[in-house]
Amino acid sequence: MKRRSLTSPALAGLLASVLVACSGGVDGTGDKGKAIVIGTTARIAVTEDTPAPFDPAASYDLNSWNLMRNTFQTLLRPPRSGTEPVGDAAEKCGFADNRDDEYRCELRDGLTFSNGHELSAEDVAFSVRRLLRINSRSGPASLLSNVDTVEADGGRRVVFYLKKPDATFPYKLATPAAAIVDSETYPADRLVKSFKGTTSGPYVIDDFDTRKHRVLLSRNPDYQGGSEPKNNKVELRFFGSAESLQKAMDSGDVDMMNRGLSSRYIERLESDQDSRIRLVEQPGQGVQYLVFDTKDKTVGRQAVRQAFAQVVDRKQLVGDVYERTAEPLYSLVPGGLLGHKNSFFNEYGEPDVKAAKRTLRKADVKTPVKITLHYAQVGRGGSAANEFAVLKKQLNESGLFEATVKGEPPTSYSSASLQGKYQVYGFGWLPDFPDADNFIAPFLEKENVLNTAYSNKEIRDELIPRTRREPDRADASDSFARAQDIVAGDVPVLPLWQGKSFVAAHDDITGVEWALNSSSLLQLWELGRGVSS
């Protein structure tokens, strides 16, 4: 999806296994020559939705961004702790004269690309102009669409002039959307489909082996930035199923698991105190929504969407499908972020079929309402299929709906949803940056990632601009709350659950507490190998 979305309810498998674990109690410098192997059930491939998965102008999914975060540089990057971005390629950045519409960055000395070319301010300006010019449907151009012009002022200074004030702009520069590419090797008006790009980040790709399903990364000796890699090699190894990945973890073939932790496996690790595999739970900001096609003759009716919201039982859904790996969500903005408000619960309370029946009757909607729910089908069965089976059962048992469910090919799921082919569909979202803005604006602005016809003038013209004029994000909370209340009343999307992060790692892996940033992207440079306990 246009955005770092995970376009299916399979997001649970992703959220429930985002990387983390305990360390072995040393400084992480032991055996730096041996690659740290990270196992995942993810895939990186050329598909209809990802035509150029290693081009920053075209990729907006977690799998590609995990590679880009570690190979491309950005001016800023997420911090070890907290939320305020810190310097990477930039030595310093800031708004000019307390203005939130002009942003300046000064580059570090001695920056070079992996091909030996110098990295200059013109490369930064070129990269942003290229992103916006190509404006790939599958890419993240929407994140930087507020840039009016960007100029290189000499070799080291770059200046961004924004169309409107935006206090969140530094956060956006810390995402792979702002990855810096070599202006001498990347074309200005077309995508690059190779997996071996010219980069300047902490790692370079040595090998992308589609036959053996692995990516080999090595430390970039010429990297000049804000981090210091604690290992020399990392291998990302892709598995076809959670079961095969868990077996590799148990046997020691994999050092850490990135996705694929089933609830049963989590329970086993928690109960086995003698295991050398450690499990850590962290708060998650990944969420799962249902999206309605508001142009559809059926779900385009507000009363139908409101009745749907009154019938769905989130607690049962989470309990039956995701057990301990998720919790019910009653808002666009997940818990734990400034601005979160349980607007859907305040509006509808606990599931109430009688209230839903009154809503439909008042709007003169005939029942049962026929609707079709769509999800991305990854393999047979799995959490996505189970989730939508539960939703179908809840709707149909109410007597108010006649719901059917269809699993769709994951390779075209995002593009089909953007084209309005689905009446109701599952949509997973991981934040680009840890701010309530990133759970509201991407869905409700004019150029939104859902390509939805839904529009609310107050949100677009008043609330979003107002929140972006607040340098102190706490001062934006009231406006965020108002936007969530409007969405709860109109129901263009329906929040279902918020995921938790569980990750397993062998106890000789160090630095894992820093290996995942606030946007759930891997920071491989933090990992080291110590001594097993």
Side-chain angles (χ1 to χ4, degrees):
M1 70 185 61
K2 197 178 178 187
R3 151 42 195 148
R4 233 170 44 86
S5 72
L6 306 162
T7 49
S8 80
L11 174 64
L14 189 151
L15 296 175
S17 55
V18 185
L19 176 71
V20 176
C22 294
S23 61
V26 294
D27 64 3
T29 58
D31 198 2
K32 291 179 71 172
K34 184 179 180 182
I36 295 175
V37 181
I38 300 175
T40 175
T41 54
R43 284 288 187 271
I44 301 176
V46 176
T47 68
E48 183 177 345
D49 287 344
T50 55
F54 198 54
D55 189 323
S59 297
Y60 205 0
D61 64 281
L62 183 75
N63 304 331
S64 297
W65 272 26
N66 264 330
L67 270 183
M68 291 182 192
R69 175 75 278 166
N70 292 280
T71 53
F72 287 94
Q73 267 189 298
T74 47
L75 290 169
L76 301 170
R77 63 177 176 82
R80 263 192 165 196
S81 59
T83 60
E84 194 72 24
V86 297
D88 190 13
E91 190 172 66
K92 60 180 179 180
C93 290
F95 285 103
D97 302 324
N98 295 319
R99 294 174 54 189
D100 287 346
D101 60 358
E102 182 179 333
Y103 196 75
R104 302 174 181 175
C105 289
E106 196 82 15
L107 297 183
R108 298 177 189 270
D109 281 326
L111 298 175
T112 60
F113 290 105
S114 53
N115 59 4
H117 292 175
E118 178 187 359
L119 190 160
S120 68
E122 182 53 44
D123 292 303
V124 178
F126 169 84
S127 301
V128 174
R129 294 186 198 121
R130 176 178 183 268
L131 173 81
L132 298 175
R133 179 179 182 179
I134 293 176
N135 195 24
S136 172
R137 188 169 189 173
S138 62
S142 59
L143 266 179
L144 299 182
S145 61
N146 190 36
V147 174
D148 186 18
T149 59
V150 53
E151 298 177 358
D153 181 6
R156 294 181 56 201
R157 177 178 291 181
V158 60
V159 183
F160 299 88
Y161 298 95
L162 308 182
K163 299 172 184 177
K164 299 177 182 178
D166 184 6
T168 70
F169 187 65
Y171 296 91
K172 297 170 183 176
L173 287 182
T175 72
I180 305 168
V181 301
D182 183 3
S183 58
E184 296 184 50
T185 58
Y186 277 75
D189 56 358
R190 67 181 187 276
L191 299 175
V192 175
K193 296 184 179 180
S194 170
F195 285 105
K196 296 205 70 170
T198 302
T199 61
S200 63
Y203 295 88
V204 294
I205 294 179
D206 285 338
D207 186 31
F208 196 109
D209 194 327
T210 56
R211 185 177 60 85
K212 294 183 178 180
H213 306 296
R214 67 179 185 179
V215 178
L216 298 178
L217 301 158
S218 65
R219 180 177 180 175
N220 178 7
D222 299 318
Y223 168 68
Q224 299 290 327
S227 56
E228 179 67 26
K230 298 176 177 60
N231 62 73
N232 289 327
K233 295 181 182 295
V234 175
E235 177 182 338
L236 301 179
R237 192 177 298 174
F238 308 114
F239 291 80
S241 68
E243 290 76 15
S244 59
L245 173 53
Q246 288 166 186
K247 288 180 181 179
M249 186 73 189
D250 289 339
S251 68
D253 289 340
V254 166
D255 294 307
M256 296 193 309
M257 286 184 66
N258 180 33
R259 313 190 195 175
L261 277 85
S262 65
S263 297
R264 183 175 299 177
Y265 193 65
I266 290 171
E267 291 175 2
R268 199 200 85 188
L269 293 180
E270 287 179 329
S271 61
D272 187 357
Q273 300 300 319
D274 296 327
S275 174
R276 290 187 175 179
I277 300 174
R278 306 302 186 201
L279 181 74
V280 169
E281 175 182 348
Q282 287 190 335
Q285 291 182 350
V287 296
Q288 177 73 8
Y289 306 130
L290 289 179
V291 180
F292 297 91
D293 180 3
T294 55
K295 295 182 295 185
D296 181 79
K297 65 179 182 180
T298 301
V299 299
R301 302 185 68 175
Q302 183 179 8
V304 172
R305 302 194 301 271
Q306 290 175 330
F308 194 117
Q310 289 169 308
V311 168
V312 168
D313 188 338
R314 295 169 177 80
K315 292 180 182 177
Q316 182 190 58
L317 176 65
V318 168
D320 288 356
V321 181
Y322 299 115
E323 299 180 42
R324 295 186 58 250
T325 63
E327 56 189 4
L329 179 64
Y330 299 91
S331 172
L332 278 182
V333 179
L337 283 182
L338 282 172
H340 166 78
K341 183 179 181 181
N342 286 320
S343 297
F344 275 82
F345 189 84
N346 296 341
E347 181 75 19
Y348 304 108
E350 298 290 352
D352 190 336
V353 173
K354 291 182 179 179
K357 186 174 183 179
R358 290 193 297 268
T359 298
L360 294 173
R361 182 184 299 160
K362 185 177 180 181
D364 197 26
V365 176
K366 295 182 180 180
T367 58
V369 180
K370 294 184 179 181
I371 58 173
T372 303
L373 312 181
H374 301 259
Y375 68 94
Q377 186 171 15
V378 182
R380 295 182 179 180
S383 58
N386 293 338
E387 174 176 346
F388 275 69
V390 171
L391 289 171
K392 174 184 175 180
K393 182 179 179 182
Q394 290 178 356
L395 293 168
N396 291 346
E397 286 185 347
S398 74
L400 303 177
F401 293 90
E402 185 178 322
T404 57
V405 169
K406 290 186 178 180
E408 307 289 352
T411 55
S412 59
Y413 185 80
S414 177
S415 56
S417 65
L418 290 174
Q419 294 167 20
K421 294 183 178 180
Y422 302 147
Q423 193 177 37
V424 185
Y425 64 95
F427 181 95
W429 183 260
L430 281 165
D432 301 303
F433 51 90
D435 189 277
D437 176 275
N438 200 230
F439 291 89
I440 293 178
F443 312 126
L444 303 175
E445 288 183 303
K446 184 177 181 180
E447 300 294 331
N448 62 77
V449 301
L450 302 175
N451 198 32
T452 179
Y454 172 77
S455 174
N456 182 276
K457 185 175 178 61
E458 181 182 355
I459 293 176
R460 286 187 181 178
D461 298 344
E462 299 178 29
L463 298 177
I464 292 176
R466 187 184 304 158
T467 63
R468 289 177 173 173
R469 289 193 296 266
E470 298 291 354
D472 186 338
R473 305 309 289 156
D475 293 338
S477 293
D478 289 345
S479 295
F480 285 135
R482 171 61 182 159
Q484 290 166 86
D485 287 343
I486 292 172
V487 170
D490 292 348
V491 202
V493 299
L494 181 68
L496 294 177
W497 50 261
Q498 175 177 350
K500 300 178 183 178
S501 294
F502 289 92
V503 185
H506 287 274
D507 61 5
D508 63 331
I509 302 301
T510 65
V512 232
E513 63 273 25
W514 309 114
L516 196 71
N517 69 25
S518 56
S519 297
S520 298
L521 293 180
L522 298 177
Q523 301 182 147
L524 300 177
W525 57 85
E526 297 284 3
L527 303 175
R529 190 180 296 278
V531 179
S532 179
S533 61

